[in-house]
């Protein structure tokens, strides 16, 4: 228990709406070199949307237009920074872009709107109400910075060979375990360390374990065993959190493939590779994407590509009228220990 309590002491709980409000502020924009966010609607309401722009000010889809990997001279057509010898900086192999959807210790279930044009971040709505994840003692909201890898997709029509379950129709999820509390809409570079196979209502819902490449301790982390060594108790807390987080809603405990074993980096990279290939098929219209919105401005050979003017028009068509909803973040603590 002491290890879990140490996790809670690393950051003060912040109200979901306050964290969302700061996410689109100037501080966040300064930290994001290549991507910026723009709010539409009122935070903590059903009409709230967080749209993404690149450094030139053009609207982009975070789902489709932000590259998966960070290992080239250009990202979205923008040259990466140069090193002192005037050569482009060489990025470590297997460094990935992560889009932060939910800051650590917050409860609002924020996610990329995969079925909306330009795929902004919005708050998940269930049964007509905004969704907030329950506080399950001793956890306050999400216990990591939670988000996703762009240009990945867990195909709901393709059965995963290792889990024997179909995909959950979303980009692959990431649990970032660094020391900083990040903001909704930040795009950071992460090192992949391992992966957990959650089986969510019969669907494969992979959970990557990663660390911010700019974290002060990032150099110590190379694989899943380093998490066990340097952050004892964190993986056990992660497994327990995913096992229980739907129980307060009246649902059974979640199940896991591999008996809840965290797979290593090499395994995780293969899963990323597979979900990236599924995304490519989606963007090239080689598979059935259903209601997934594939509109993009950067993928040159995609039949879903649109112009910058069309992208702006799509964003401007989104309603930003006031909404009467307010923060309904659950302050109740659920005690589910056995």
């Amino acid at each position: 228990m002491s290890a879990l309590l140490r996790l809670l002491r690393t950051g003060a709980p912040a109200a979901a709406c306050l964290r969302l409000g700061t996410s689109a502020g100037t501080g966040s924009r300064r930290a994001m070199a290549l991507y910026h966010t723009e709010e539409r609607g009122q935070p903590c309401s059903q009409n709230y949307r967080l749209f993404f722009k690149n450094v030139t000010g053009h609207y982009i889809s975070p789902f489709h237009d932000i590259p998966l990997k960070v290992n080239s001279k250009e990202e979205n057509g923008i040259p990466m920074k140069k090193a002192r010898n005037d050569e482009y900086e060489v990025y470590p192999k297997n460094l990935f872009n992560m889009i932060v959807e939910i800051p650590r210790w917050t409860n609002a279930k924020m996610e990329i709107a995969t079925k909306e044009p330009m795929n902004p971040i919005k708050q998940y709505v269930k049964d007509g109400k905004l969704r907030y994840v329950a506080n399950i003692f001793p956890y306050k909201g999400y216990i990591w910075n939670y988000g996703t890898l762009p240009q990945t997709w867990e195909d709901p029509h393709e059965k995963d060979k290792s889990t024997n379950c179909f995909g959950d129709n979303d980009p692959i999820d990431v649990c970032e375990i660094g020391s900083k509390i990040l903001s909704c809409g930040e795009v950071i570079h992460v090192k992949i360390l391992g992966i957990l196979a959650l089986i969510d209502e019969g669907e494969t819902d992979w959970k990557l374990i990663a660390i911010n490449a700019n974290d002060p301790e990032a150099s110590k982390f190379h694989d899943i065993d380093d998490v066990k060594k340097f952050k004892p108790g964190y993986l056990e807390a992660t497994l327990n959190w995913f096992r229980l987080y739907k129980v307060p809603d009246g649902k059974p405990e979640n199940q896991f493939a591999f008996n809840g074993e965290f797979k290593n980096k090499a395994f995780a990279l293969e899963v990323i590779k597979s979900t990236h290939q599924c995304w490519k098929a989606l963007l090239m219209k080689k598979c059935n994407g259903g209601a997934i919105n594939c509109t993009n401005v950067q993928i040159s050979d995609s039949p879903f590509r649109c112009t910058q003017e069309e992208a702006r028009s799509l964003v401007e068509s989104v309603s930003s009228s006031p909404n009467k909803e307010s923060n309904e973040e659950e302050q109740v603590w659920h005690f589910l220990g056995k």
Side-chain angles (χ1 to χ4, degrees):
M1 179 64 71
S2 60
L4 301 184
L5 292 178
R6 284 199 299 272
L7 289 175
L8 288 170
R9 294 192 185 105
T10 62
C17 286
L18 291 178
R19 177 62 61 184
L20 285 172
T22 58
S23 71
T26 57
S28 166
R29 290 191 176 113
R30 282 195 298 267
M32 295 163 56
L34 296 178
Y35 306 102
H36 309 282
T37 54
E38 177 182 292
E39 289 180 310
R40 293 260 169 170
Q42 185 69 26
C44 300
S45 70
Q46 292 190 28
N47 67 3
Y48 179 79
R49 299 291 184 275
L50 193 64
F51 286 94
F52 284 70
K53 290 182 175 182
N54 61 20
V55 72
T56 62
H58 295 133
Y59 289 107
I60 61 169
S61 160
F63 185 6
H64 306 305
D65 291 317
I66 295 177
L68 170 62
K69 298 190 73 172
V70 186
N71 61 357
S72 62
K73 292 183 179 180
E74 291 189 341
E75 185 168 339
N76 277 354
I78 308 301
M80 308 302 286
K81 69 178 181 179
K82 295 182 179 181
R84 288 184 179 180
N85 62 357
D86 206 38
E87 294 292 332
Y88 284 98
E89 182 173 349
V90 177
Y91 283 84
K93 186 179 180 180
N94 296 325
L95 198 62
F96 294 83
N97 280 311
M98 172 189 173
I99 302 162
V100 179
E101 296 167 309
I102 306 170
R104 188 167 60 232
W105 311 132
T106 64
N107 299 69
K109 174 64 176 173
M110 307 301 296
E111 62 180 14
I112 287 177
T114 59
K115 299 177 182 180
E116 296 184 9
M118 307 312 297
N119 310 118
I121 289 178
K122 69 172 185 178
Q123 188 165 350
Y124 184 79
V125 175
K126 184 177 181 180
D127 298 328
K129 294 183 179 180
L130 297 173
R131 183 180 172 191
Y132 295 88
V133 73
N135 295 316
I136 300 175
F137 186 82
Y139 315 122
K140 171 64 177 74
Y142 288 76
I143 64 175
W144 344 258
N145 294 297
Y146 192 73
T148 192
L149 294 187
Q151 297 188 348
T152 61
W153 181 53
E154 297 180 68
D155 189 342
H157 305 293
E158 184 171 309
K159 185 175 288 188
D160 188 281
K161 294 179 181 179
S162 59
T163 66
N164 203 34
C165 294
F166 293 98
D168 73 343
N169 204 30
D170 282 324
I172 195 168
D173 296 319
V174 186
C175 302
E176 191 281 318
I177 64 169
S179 58
K180 298 179 180 179
I181 298 177
L182 304 173
S183 295
C184 180
E186 279 195 69
V187 180
I188 64 169
H189 298 161
V190 294
K191 297 170 64 175
I192 302 299
L193 306 174
I195 196 166
L196 175 69
L198 171 66
I199 306 301
D200 189 351
E201 300 182 25
E203 297 177 334
T204 303
D205 189 4
W206 292 106
K207 307 296 180 183
L208 289 164
I209 306 301
I211 189 167
N212 188 344
N214 290 322
D215 190 88
E217 296 185 318
S219 62
K220 299 194 302 185
F221 291 84
H222 305 285
D223 215 316
I224 198 68
D225 286 341
D226 295 318
V227 183
K228 300 173 186 177
K229 178 179 179 181
F230 296 111
K231 291 183 181 285
Y234 211 163
L235 294 181
E236 292 82 354
T238 295
L239 186 68
N240 200 46
W241 194 98
F242 281 119
R243 180 171 64 88
L244 298 174
Y245 82 103
K246 289 189 175 181
V247 172
D249 295 329
K251 294 186 176 182
E253 294 183 0
N254 277 323
Q255 303 298 313
F256 305 90
F258 317 115
N259 294 317
E261 175 191 355
F262 286 82
K263 294 296 186 177
N264 64 14
K265 175 181 177 178
F267 190 102
L269 293 177
E270 287 300 313
V271 175
I272 294 172
K273 180 180 178 180
S274 174
T275 58
H276 183 54
Q277 292 302 318
C278 289
W279 170 84
K280 284 184 177 180
L282 176 71
L283 264 286
M284 298 304 143
K285 215 172 184 177
K286 294 181 179 179
C287 64
N288 180 16
I292 296 290
N293 193 295
C294 299
T295 305
N296 67 85
V297 297
Q298 300 281 358
I299 313 303
S300 59
D301 49 350
S302 170
F304 301 101
R305 187 183 184 188
C306 72
T307 66
Q308 295 168 0
E309 292 74 19
E310 290 170 332
R312 185 185 309 110
S313 178
L314 288 170
V315 173
E316 291 175 350
S317 67
V318 174
S319 171
S320 58
S321 58
N323 192 296
K324 294 181 180 180
E325 290 182 75
S326 59
N327 181 13
E328 298 176 4
E329 178 181 347
E330 184 175 355
Q331 300 298 332
V332 175
W333 290 84
H334 298 264
F335 292 81
L336 303 179
K338 295 181 180 180

